[in-house]
Amino acid sequence: QVQLVESAGGSLQAGGSLRLACVASGYTYSNSCMGWFRQAPGKEREGVASIDATRMPTYADSVKGRFAISRDNAKNTLYLQMNSLKPEDTAMYYCAARFASGAYCARASLLSTDYPYWGQGTQVTVSS
């Protein structure tokens, strides 16, 4: 059974930093593509960052230079380091996974429809 569990988010002021973590279980984590997504009230879910099995990252333009995605395969954990946070980063953040049994995922994606497995989400609130 695939499980993705995000760490607690938080409330902080603009300019601050926060690191989110997502612990995965129930599949071969090292072969998977992983992504971070967010959804603000009244808006569609958007891809923030993704990383493939080779550790190649992809970022949304809105977070380039501020956010960094990484993975620790020994701990089955995905991270999102968020720096220089802005009020517009306020959203529910979700981690997501995609993989094929016995295959190596070498094409990460920022499309939510590409990911069948999702965590429960964690709230990040940035005040000005």
Side-chain angles (χ1 to χ4, degrees):
Q1 180 181 358
V2 175
Q3 284 195 315
L4 301 171
V5 181
E6 296 103 340
S7 60
S11 296
L12 62 167
Q13 291 195 325
S17 297
L18 184 67
R19 187 176 80 160
L20 301 180
C22 171
V23 179
S25 61
Y27 66 102
T28 305
Y29 175 75
S30 59
N31 287 355
S32 66
C33 287
M34 301 293 296
W36 284 102
F37 293 79
R38 66 186 181 187
Q39 187 166 19
K43 295 188 176 181
E44 292 188 357
R45 189 170 296 189
E46 64 171 345
V48 174
S50 63
I51 188 167
D52 68 14
T54 70
R55 303 176 189 270
M56 178 68 70
T58 302
Y59 296 100
D61 288 344
S62 59
V63 305
K64 279 180 181 176
R66 300 188 300 122
F67 290 12
I69 189 171
S70 62
R71 64 191 302 162
D72 184 335
N73 289 342
K75 296 181 178 179
N76 281 11
T77 301
L78 178 73
Y79 299 100
L80 184 69
Q81 178 66 44
M82 303 185 292
N83 300 323
S84 301
L85 282 161
K86 304 175 181 180
E88 51 263 44
D89 294 318
T90 295
M92 186 73 77
Y93 283 73
Y94 301 87
C95 69
R98 70 191 200 105
F99 57 89
S101 180
Y104 199 70
C105 183
R107 188 181 68 82
S109 168
L110 292 178
L111 296 177
S112 60
T113 51
D114 285 343
Y115 292 82
Y117 304 102
W118 292 83
Q120 80 284 358
T122 188
Q123 180 67 38
V124 174
T125 302
V126 184
S127 58
S128 58

